[in-house]
Amino acid sequence: MMNNAVTSDAPTEDSFISVLYDIAKKHPVIFIALFLLPLIALLISLGMKWHYVFTDTTHYLRNFTMDSTGVWSDKKPYFNPGVDRYVRELDIAGLLGGIVGIFVGLYITVTTEKLNRQKDRLNQQEMDRIKTQTSLLVQATESLNTLMIDVSGKVNEKVQLMEGTGEVLGGITKVIESVRSQGNHLLVLSNTARIEGVSQYRMEYVAKHANLKPHELKNATQFDYSRKAEALQRDCTDVENKIKEVSIYLRNLGADARVQFVTLNDQAQAAVAHPFLKYLGKVFNEHVIVETYRPGSNVALNDMDGVPHHKRFLVPASNGDIPNAQEFLVQRLYEQQGQAIREMQELGIRVTKLAKTLPVQLFISAPIENKPGIYKGLCVCILGSGSSTSGRASKLTAFLTDDPHIVASMTELFFDYENDAQMATREFMRPVLT
């Protein structure tokens, strides 16, 4: 079958006669004028010369002249003196060379035409092959696009992207509900012990939570802004309370599941500075502006057109202006971190303190290993640490997923950080205990 396929793909070669016939049919005038008539003339001349030389040699070899009266001395000329002279002047070698030259030219013409036809067929086959390959490529591309759409749809089914504190808090609530309904572990990895602890002071996040553009707060009063910031704080506190409630619920239930919280340490560890204060130093750097406002004032917010909204932090101060608003806010967040850790510990939540800023924050409903039955995990992953050296907060983008592979990977990441923090704590404690 392979030989047949190769034979069928090879271009067929036309015969010499068929090509000559096609040329004569396509260009009859040129064929007759440049080939047929010269060939006939040469053949007739050669025949006459041949006949005169070899059949009437004596007469042909005589020298005839024309007298003074203009009479040709040959009394029996061939046709007439002109033709007779023409035949005498003909060269047999030249006639044969002319005939051969005509056939050589004809052969070259036919051969060139055959080569051109073969080249055209090869080009056509190549074009057909290219068209076929292009068609196959188009089909493959369409199939790939369809596959990508299907894969994208499946990914979107497993991973729900979220942006803004509202969607993130809703996703965390779903994780807590999954823990309560299935008796899973609740694993939390966060820079702050307060849920979205810094967001309520960042103007950009407050506006986003209120479904406003930051510039729409330009003419807002301090009282209006206070209500929106308090709404964000209230929603964050609700989520914190749900975490505490599920911890109490699991403990009263006597389940093996537990709540584990990993956050930045609010205390110094030996020669290491306060990790939480170090984190705040990244958030409140020289690129940001921290200002105070009065929650009950009807005065408009300070007009700071030259400062981008993501660089503005507003802290409520009922007692009026504070000389150093940034120091005041850092002190408040530091106290809130320590207080939140103590409250969770009092409720039996296992809190592990980290010494390095987290690149991601996790809220995981992790099924208990070796527990009979089928239990699904659920995870919220918040991308970014919430700070950068430029002063712009990492875009609060997160995703919610119940994909078992992703949940397992995030769970492993949680325990890596927890184990690393516990090992570091033991290393710091060893010199003290000895």
Side-chain angles (χ1 to χ4, degrees):
M1 292 183 65
M2 184 177 296
N3 293 334
N4 293 338
V6 173
T7 303
S8 62
D9 289 342
T12 58
E13 185 175 354
D14 296 326
S15 65
F16 185 90
I17 299 300
S18 64
V19 175
L20 179 61
Y21 175 77
D22 291 339
I23 293 175
K25 186 178 179 180
K26 188 179 295 183
H27 306 286
V29 176
I30 296 177
F31 178 77
I32 292 173
L34 299 183
F35 169 71
L36 195 58
L37 291 180
L39 179 62
I40 292 173
L42 287 174
L43 290 175
I44 292 174
S45 299
L46 180 62
M48 293 174 64
K49 183 72 174 182
W50 189 277
H51 173 72
Y52 295 160
V53 171
F54 293 103
T55 60
D56 197 359
T57 307
T58 303
H59 180 269
Y60 178 78
L61 294 178
R62 289 179 181 176
N63 290 325
F64 296 99
T65 60
M66 187 176 291
D67 59 16
S68 59
T69 60
V71 178
W72 185 251
S73 60
D74 186 5
K75 303 302 180 180
K76 296 180 181 180
Y78 297 120
F79 298 103
N80 58 56
V83 174
D84 186 83
R85 185 69 178 180
Y86 166 76
V87 172
R88 290 176 182 275
E89 295 291 337
L90 288 175
D91 181 22
I92 294 178
L95 293 173
L96 291 175
I99 294 173
V100 172
I102 287 176
F103 279 102
V104 169
L106 185 65
Y107 175 78
I108 293 175
T109 302
V110 173
T111 303
T112 303
E113 178 65 18
K114 289 174 62 177
L115 292 176
N116 290 336
R117 291 187 179 187
Q118 186 176 8
K119 185 177 181 180
D120 290 340
R121 278 193 291 267
L122 289 174
N123 290 338
Q124 185 61 40
Q125 290 179 358
E126 185 67 21
M127 289 296 297
D128 293 340
R129 183 159 53 249
I130 292 175
K131 289 181 180 179
T132 302
Q133 293 176 350
T134 303
S135 177
L136 294 174
L137 180 61
V138 170
Q139 294 177 4
T141 303
E142 292 176 351
S143 301
L144 180 61
N145 290 337
T146 303
L147 179 62
M148 290 298 294
I149 292 174
D150 293 341
V151 171
S152 177
K154 293 179 180 179
V155 170
N156 290 334
E157 291 175 359
K158 294 183 178 181
V159 178
Q160 176 187 345
L161 297 181
M162 300 180 295
E163 183 178 343
T165 52
E167 294 183 2
V168 170
L169 294 176
I172 297 173
T173 300
K174 291 180 180 179
V175 170
I176 297 173
E177 292 173 352
S178 171
V179 170
R180 177 183 288 272
S181 62
Q182 299 189 90
N184 292 344
H185 294 302
L186 175 59
L187 311 177
V188 180
L189 183 71
S190 175
N191 284 309
T192 60
R194 294 288 186 192
I195 303 301
E196 293 299 325
V198 185
S199 299
Q200 57 191 309
Y201 301 106
R202 192 187 296 270
M203 187 177 189
E204 184 180 24
Y205 287 173
V206 172
K208 179 74 175 179
H209 193 74
N211 295 321
L212 297 174
K213 302 291 184 182
H215 66 81
E216 292 178 337
L217 293 175
K218 181 177 180 180
N219 298 322
T221 64
Q222 298 183 28
F223 174 73
D224 292 335
Y225 181 84
S226 173
R227 292 175 57 189
K228 294 174 175 56
E230 289 172 357
L232 173 56
Q233 181 180 5
R234 186 166 51 251
D235 291 343
C236 293
T237 303
D238 289 343
V239 174
E240 290 178 11
N241 292 334
K242 290 177 181 178
I243 293 177
K244 296 174 183 177
E245 290 172 1
V246 78
S247 175
I248 297 173
Y249 172 79
L250 293 175
R251 186 177 59 187
N252 293 339
L253 192 63
D256 295 331
R258 60 186 181 276
V259 178
Q260 295 177 234
F261 206 108
V262 177
T263 186
L264 293 179
N265 198 341
D266 62 323
Q267 301 295 326
Q269 293 179 329
V272 181
H274 294 75
F276 186 72
L277 291 179
K278 188 175 181 181
Y279 162 73
L280 294 181
K282 296 180 180 180
V283 178
F284 304 109
N285 52 60
E286 67 275 10
H287 300 285
V288 304
I289 300 296
V290 181
E291 54 190 303
T292 60
Y293 70 94
R294 295 184 179 182
S297 175
N298 289 322
V299 178
L301 292 173
N302 294 333
D303 187 8
M304 301 182 68
D305 292 335
V307 180
H309 296 96
H310 63 268
K311 294 184 179 180
R312 292 187 67 180
F313 288 81
L314 302 178
V315 53
S318 303
N319 299 331
D321 293 337
I322 297 176
N324 193 331
Q326 179 168 315
E327 181 180 342
F328 176 77
L329 179 55
V330 169
Q331 181 65 33
R332 171 179 288 190
L333 291 171
Y334 174 72
E335 293 174 354
Q336 290 177 354
Q337 178 77 357
Q339 180 182 356
I341 291 175
R342 289 190 296 272
E343 291 177 355
M344 287 190 289
Q345 289 175 334
E346 291 173 358
L347 292 173
I349 297 175
R350 178 178 171 182
V351 180
T352 302
K353 301 178 182 181
L354 283 175
K356 55 185 176 182
T357 303
L358 300 169
V360 295
Q361 301 185 66
L362 303 174
F363 296 83
I364 308 172
S365 171
I368 301 176
E369 295 182 1
N370 303 323
K371 182 179 180 180
I374 301 175
Y375 299 91
K376 294 185 65 175
L378 192 63
C379 172
V380 166
C381 176
I382 303 175
L383 307 177
S385 63
S387 67
S388 68
T389 55
S390 66
R392 175 164 179 78
S394 300
K395 192 174 183 181
L396 186 56
T397 303
F399 63 84
L400 173 71
T401 180
D402 60 355
D403 181 83
H405 301 291
I406 300 178
V407 173
S409 298
M410 294 304 176
T411 302
E412 183 177 355
L413 179 63
F414 171 87
F415 285 115
D416 285 344
Y417 274 102
E418 185 184 56
N419 294 335
D420 183 61
Q422 292 174 355
M423 184 178 298
T425 301
R426 288 195 296 270
E427 291 297 325
F428 284 123
M429 290 176 61
R430 184 176 297 130
V432 177
L433 295 176
T434 56

